[in-house]
């Protein structure tokens, strides 16, 4: 099935950005709001302590599972927010690269933020997402 998401890349804005600047969904689409995907395993333990890559990969797996449960795929995501507990830009980029690989050509509008702390012990990464599907 074709995604209901229409990614917008204005030619008047920089093409150096690694994601679409905006996205739209048709009026007959249903929005799916995902809670922040955390780097937790099935037992609820934080994985990859101290490792931004491992934590981002687990967040993507958990986000993908939540999308599937809602009847969607990563191709149905319309926007993301990636939160990284660090003041070091390299740590943010490390997490971001994992997310970019997961989304591939479906480069939805995204925000990457460095934050002071996240909710779970040893948590370094969290991914928020909104998806849109047609029933």
């Amino acid at each position: 099935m074709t995604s209901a998401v229409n990614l917008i890349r204005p030619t008047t804005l920089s093409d150096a950005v690694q994601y679409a600047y905006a996205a739209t969904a048709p009026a007959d689409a249903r929005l799916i709001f995902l809670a922040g995907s955390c780097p937790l395993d099935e037992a609820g333990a934080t994985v990859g302590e101290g490792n931004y890559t491992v934590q981002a990969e687990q967040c993507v797996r958990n986000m993908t599972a939540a999308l599937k449960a809602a009847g969607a795929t990563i191709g149905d995501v319309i926007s993301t927010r990636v939160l990284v507990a660090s003041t070091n830009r390299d740590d943010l980029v490390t997490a971001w690269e994992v997310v970019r690989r997961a989304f591939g050509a479906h480069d939805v509008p995204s925000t990457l933020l460095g934050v002071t702390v996240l909710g779970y012990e040893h948590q370094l990464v969290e991914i928020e997402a909104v998806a849109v599907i047609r029933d």
Side-chain angles (χ1 to χ4, degrees):
M1 183 192 318
T2 304
S3 174
V5 177
N6 178 36
L7 299 177
I8 300 168
R9 296 175 184 85
T11 58
T12 57
L13 298 174
S14 171
D15 63 358
V17 174
Q18 296 180 356
Y19 48 83
Y21 277 95
T24 61
D28 65 340
R30 178 169 52 96
L31 294 175
I32 302 167
F33 296 90
L34 281 72
S37 294
C38 300
L40 305 177
D41 63 16
E42 290 181 10
T46 303
V47 303
E49 184 177 337
N51 189 316
Y52 291 91
T53 299
V54 169
Q55 288 204 4
E57 290 169 345
Q58 185 66 41
C59 290
V60 168
R61 280 191 295 276
N62 291 345
M63 177 185 64
T64 303
L67 286 164
K68 183 177 179 181
T73 69
I74 204 165
D76 297 312
V77 172
I78 196 166
S79 69
T80 66
R81 183 176 298 125
V82 181
L83 306 149
V84 182
S86 179
T87 58
N88 182 330
R89 183 170 280 117
D90 290 341
D91 297 335
L92 277 69
V93 170
T94 295
W96 175 249
E97 288 173 346
V98 172
V99 175
R100 284 288 299 129
R101 275 194 308 274
F103 277 87
H106 186 66
D107 56 346
V108 300
S110 299
T111 300
L112 176 63
L113 297 168
V115 300
T116 304
V117 66
L118 291 166
Y120 291 99
E121 188 172 7
H122 307 296
Q123 181 182 359
L124 301 172
V125 181
E126 187 164 334
I127 304 171
E128 297 178 4
V130 177
V132 60
I133 60 172
R134 287 187 167 127
D135 289 320

